[in-house]
Amino acid sequence: MRVKVLSRNPDDYVRETKLDLQRVPRNYDPALHPFEVPREYIRALNATKLERVFAKPFLSSLDGHRDGVNCMAKHPKSLSTVLSGACDGEVRIWNLTRRQCIRTIQAHEGFVRGMCARFCGTSFFTVGDDKTVKQWKMEGPEYGEEEEPIHTILGKTVYTGIDHHWKEPVFATCGHQVDIWDEQRTSPKCSLTWGFDSISSVKFNPIETYLLGSCASDRNIVLYDMRKSTPLKKVILKMRTNSLCWNPMEAFIFTAANEDYNLYTFDMRFLESPVMVHMDHVSAVLDVDYSPTGKEFVSASFDKSIRIFPVDKGHSREVYHTKRMQHVITVKWTSDSKYILCGSDEMNIRLWKANASEKLGVLAPREKAAMNYNQKLKEKFQFHPQIRRIAQHRHLPKSIYGQIKEQRIMREARRRKELNRRKHSKPGSVPFVPERKKHIVAVVK
């Protein structure tokens, strides 16, 4: 004889205290939930709408400079410290937690062209229009001491950029040529040059630390190996590259900010064509910086906006702008991957959230769980037309909106012209050129 007995474990439904939430048993059998997908779709739609409602990326403005902000540098050890250099030769050190300037130095006569912090964070270097390289203490002077540099190197030509090695007391400057310096010497260890034009930017690779990349005004991007003291190879583009940045997670990948409104992500082993062409800006791109995760980068443009691009996508996921912001000259992504700093013509440094709708501060466990659930729902339904339209919609300034429309018409006209030429030519005489190869002139090894 079989007797069926109901067996219940009190732990499954009895609250330990009256403050606990009532436990609800849930049967996950899909047959019992026929409207699961429509219900999840509505939740995903609401989550996407709320994300746009709460997208308030602008946090604060650090004002104090009396001229346009020309360059910035991050402190390698302190998240809250950032350095900025202006067009009047002034350098300021900022505390991001208190959002105020903690130190001001009159470093150069004329522009501060470039700056970088030493890998240990005890000092930083600046270069300017007065043909000098100066090393400064990160800490302020003691009471009664004068504000003076630790070392000053007087060069023969104007230096336009500087970057420090990630592990050794070595730094590189660029101008007429790329010079590699030892911190203990007043003359360069070696000078690297390939071409005759001025070099605007030089960057050390954060992983393969002996590699350098530089971009010059004769449209070249040149790669150097510090061990061989010779250039490795160069790629010539149709227009000038203003700045480049190495991916901190993938040793061979770097992104170049170009004058033709685009950014190009290259694999240094295969320079014949870029890995990705990033197109969204409507004016020259002046600066670029990677997030510490290596999955995204931020670009600053002459069109008075900054954009965040995923590395593997051709279009930006986010665009930031304000009414007062003028041409953005420099941009940095903070080392905790949460914030973005940009310096522009009208003397301000602006602090933005990297994720526009992210809630700052401590999250309760239930808040965190709801946020993760919403994120997964948005990923699940991201390609649905309604959700994609809401997620991708951005309000743009009238000038940028008009230029985007104009460029779309021009692109379409070029495409139509090429189709007509191909249609009325001998088969095979007008080859198909992919977008990635259109902008490369030559690769020299």
Side-chain angles (χ1 to χ4, degrees):
M1 180 179 165
R2 287 168 70 188
V3 179
K4 288 185 179 178
V5 179
L6 285 174
S7 171
R8 284 185 180 172
N9 182 359
D11 291 347
D12 290 342
Y13 58 92
V14 177
R15 294 186 297 174
E16 288 182 13
T17 70
K18 64 180 181 181
L19 298 175
D20 282 357
L21 294 171
Q22 198 78 45
R23 288 183 183 170
V24 181
R26 175 98 193 269
N27 190 336
Y28 288 98
D29 181 7
L32 298 175
H33 300 278
F35 299 116
E36 186 74 11
V37 174
R39 201 178 298 131
E40 281 192 343
Y41 168 72
I42 294 298
R43 284 176 188 165
L45 190 64
N46 290 339
T48 309
K49 286 176 181 175
L50 283 173
E51 182 189 43
R52 297 316 313 146
V53 167
F54 292 122
K56 305 256 188 303
F58 180 70
L59 291 174
S60 78
S61 169
L62 310 175
D63 44 349
H65 277 295
R66 289 163 300 184
D67 209 334
V69 181
N70 199 46
C71 54
M72 287 196 295
K74 293 182 283 192
H75 193 292
K77 304 278 176 163
S78 165
L79 284 174
S80 61
T81 307
V82 71
L83 306 103
S84 65
C87 298
D88 59 354
E90 186 182 65
V91 168
R92 283 179 179 252
I93 302 175
W94 304 87
N95 184 310
L96 295 182
T97 316
R98 289 183 288 167
R99 297 180 190 176
Q100 64 186 40
C101 175
I102 51 176
R103 190 163 152 226
T104 307
I105 307 163
Q106 188 56 46
H108 295 275
E109 292 171 23
F111 283 42
V112 180
R113 288 289 174 188
M115 59 196 312
C116 65
R118 199 172 186 271
F119 62 92
C120 60
T122 54
S123 62
F124 65 93
F125 295 82
T126 61
V127 293
D129 274 357
D130 52 4
K131 302 182 184 177
T132 57
V133 182
K134 294 184 181 180
Q135 183 180 6
W136 306 83
K137 277 185 186 170
M138 196 65 81
E139 298 298 322
E142 298 293 325
Y143 181 73
E145 271 187 354
E146 294 258 334
E147 182 77 82
E148 284 185 348
I150 308 169
H151 300 299
T152 303
I153 300 167
L154 188 59
K156 292 173 185 167
T157 56
V158 172
Y159 296 111
T160 53
I162 186 168
D163 196 34
H164 202 284
H165 195 283
W166 290 77
K167 289 174 182 167
E168 293 169 22
V170 172
F171 64 92
T173 60
C174 64
H176 183 59
Q177 59 194 14
V178 172
D179 293 324
I180 311 288
W181 305 76
D182 193 308
E183 284 180 14
Q184 307 304 320
R185 294 171 60 181
T186 54
S187 58
K189 282 203 306 184
C190 68
S191 296
L192 307 162
T193 183
W194 193 355
F196 303 100
D197 243 318
S198 62
I199 296 160
S200 55
S201 170
V202 64
K203 289 283 163 67
F204 274 101
N205 191 320
I207 304 167
E208 304 289 349
T209 50
Y210 47 83
L211 287 175
L212 293 104
S214 76
C215 43
S217 52
D218 57 357
R219 304 173 299 152
N220 291 346
I221 299 171
V222 188
L223 303 176
Y224 308 95
D225 191 330
M226 213 168 67
R227 299 167 301 181
K228 288 166 69 177
S229 302
T230 54
L232 288 175
K233 45 178 139 176
K234 72 174 173 182
V235 57
I236 305 167
L237 279 77
K238 282 197 173 172
M239 288 184 82
R240 190 182 73 198
T241 300
N242 291 314
S243 176
L244 63 85
C245 187
W246 293 92
N247 190 322
M249 288 293 164
E250 295 181 80
F252 301 110
I253 304 292
F254 67 90
T255 297
N258 204 279
E259 199 78 13
D260 66 358
Y261 315 170
N262 298 339
L263 294 112
Y264 301 98
T265 298
F266 285 96
D267 186 326
M268 65 169 282
R269 296 164 295 183
F270 315 106
L271 290 175
E272 285 73 23
S273 75
V275 178
M276 185 63 68
V277 180
H278 309 274
M279 313 164 75
D280 260 344
H281 281 294
V282 292
S283 194
V285 190
L286 301 179
D287 199 13
V288 59
D289 193 39
Y290 265 93
S291 82
T293 59
K295 291 184 177 176
E296 292 181 319
F297 61 83
V298 61
S299 63
S301 172
F302 200 74
D303 64 13
K304 307 178 187 176
S305 70
I306 62 173
R307 287 182 182 266
I308 301 171
F309 290 86
V311 174
D312 55 349
K313 299 275 194 312
H315 294 283
S316 61
R317 73 160 173 87
E318 202 64 78
V319 54
Y320 294 160
H321 53 85
T322 66
K323 276 186 182 176
R324 293 185 183 183
M325 189 156 77
Q326 294 303 306
H327 313 306
V328 192
I329 297 168
T330 177
V331 70
K332 283 281 178 276
W333 201 308
T334 57
S335 302
D336 61 350
S337 192
K338 282 195 172 227
Y339 305 102
I340 288 166
L341 289 147
C342 71
S344 48
D345 255 358
E346 83 310 330
M347 306 177 281
N348 274 0
I349 296 166
R350 288 182 173 81
L351 183 65
W352 310 83
K353 286 191 277 190
N355 186 359
S357 57
E358 185 182 17
K359 187 182 176 188
L360 299 179
V362 180
L363 294 178
R366 288 182 71 190
E367 254 181 323
K368 209 177 281 183
M371 202 173 71
N372 291 339
Y373 176 58
N374 285 343
Q375 188 59 38
K376 286 293 172 196
L377 283 178
K378 282 183 285 190
E379 284 173 21
K380 183 177 176 181
F381 293 96
Q382 65 184 328
F383 298 112
H384 193 282
Q386 183 85 347
I387 287 177
R388 189 167 66 179
R389 184 185 65 78
I390 294 167
Q392 289 184 350
H393 179 74
R394 296 289 179 276
H395 286 291
L396 292 168
K398 197 173 179 182
S399 59
I400 294 179
Y401 185 73
Q403 282 174 289
I404 287 174
K405 251 163 84 173
E406 197 177 306
Q407 281 187 12
R408 196 178 294 136
I409 293 164
M410 286 159 65
R411 251 199 318 272
E412 186 57 36
R414 278 198 299 269
R415 193 183 68 84
R416 210 165 44 242
K417 186 177 179 181
E418 194 179 325
L419 279 174
N420 289 340
R421 189 179 289 152
R422 191 171 289 118
K423 197 187 293 178
H424 299 289
S425 300
K426 186 179 163 188
S429 62
V430 181
F432 286 93
V433 182
E435 184 64 43
R436 292 180 189 184
K437 294 201 174 182
K438 278 180 189 172
H439 310 276
I440 307 294
V441 176
V443 177
V444 186
K445 294 182 184 177

